[in-house]
Amino acid sequence: MIKKPNGYGTALDACLICGAEGYRQDGQNVICRHCASAIYIPSIGQKGGCNPIGFPSQLEGDDIVIDVSSVTKAVEEIAR
């Protein structure tokens, strides 16, 4: 999960291009551990390029609620 300018983004620490090597945060930047691409934070969770595979969530009061089945579905995208 990451704070974005318009709320929060929820995504796996993996993408369809680089796999599950994940990302790291370097100050205000998110960097792919595999290809070293800098990820534009507002795009996290959107499809395309080296970008973490997103899944829906919603803010309920102070809590972020995630449907476990949406995480499972996102993980299945990596297996394809």
Side-chain angles (χ1 to χ4, degrees), residues 11-70:
L12 300 178
D13 194 20
C15 84
L16 294 175
I17 296 172
C18 295
E21 288 191 45
Y23 300 85
R24 64 182 173 81
Q25 190 157 359
D26 182 12
Q28 294 297 313
N29 299 307
V30 174
I31 310 295
C32 176
R33 293 182 187 274
H34 179 76
C35 72
S37 289
I39 311 304
Y40 182 57
I41 290 177
S43 76
I44 290 178
Q46 297 175 0
K47 293 190 179 209
C50 178
N51 207 344
I53 299 169
F55 51 85
S57 63
Q58 61 187 44
L59 191 59
E60 291 183 6
D62 291 336
D63 298 323
I64 298 208
V65 178
I66 299 168
D67 180 353
V68 175
S69 67
S70 66

Side-chain angles (χ1 to χ4, degrees), residues 66-80:
I66 299 168
D67 180 353
V68 175
S69 67
S70 66
V71 177
T72 302
K73 191 175 184 179
V75 169
E76 289 171 351
E77 284 189 55
I78 296 172
R80 293 181 204 171

